[in-house]
Every structure is written in C-alpha cells, then in structure tokens.
Amino acid sequence: ELENHMENTLDTLENRFRKATGHSVLEEIHAVRLAEAERLLANPQIKIEAISSLAGYSSANFLARIFKRIHGVSMREFRNRKI
C-alpha cells in the first residue's frame, strides 16, 4: 500500500512539475548539469575528463553524448570556440 502511495505521489509530482515548467524533472536535471559543464569548460585549467563528475555525471561518455546532441559539437570543440 505504501509503495502504491509513493508511486502515485511521484507521478503527481512529475505531472505538476511538467505542467509548471513544460518539461520533466529529468530534463531539468540535465539542463542544470549541462549549464554547469558549459561553465566549467570556460576554465582551461579543468580537464575535460574531470568535467563530467564535477557537473554531476557518473559517466564521461554519457555527458559527451548528451553534450554533443544538445550543442552539435564535442566539449573540446565547444571549449575551443569559447576560449
């Protein structure tokens, strides 16, 4: 019974969040983490390999794929254009 209640509560939260913002909680988390990755890329002292964990990702490959899908360029290319 508690499990059903928790599932319903999470569904309600997700629906309310989506209605208020126009996107899912997961999309918001990715947006915040990607913004942090962009900020970190502006600092050439921080290695690209370290940025994933600093931005909250457990996998550098996962961040690289998401970053390229969103920005159309790799993190290295992004950094080179910004510096």
Side-chain angles (χ1 to χ4, degrees), residues 30-44 46 51-52 54-55 57 63 66-68 70-75 78-80 82-83:
H30 283 306
V32 169
R33 288 177 174 174
L34 284 169
E36 179 65 3
E38 291 170 26
R39 187 186 72 75
L40 293 166
L41 283 167
N43 182 346
I46 302 173
I51 289 176
S52 62
L54 293 171
Y57 287 96
L63 172 58
I66 290 176
F67 195 94
K68 187 158 190 169
I70 298 297
H71 292 288
V73 295
S74 70
M75 291 190 296
F78 185 88
R79 172 179 269 175
N80 290 340
K82 295 292 180 181
I83 295 178

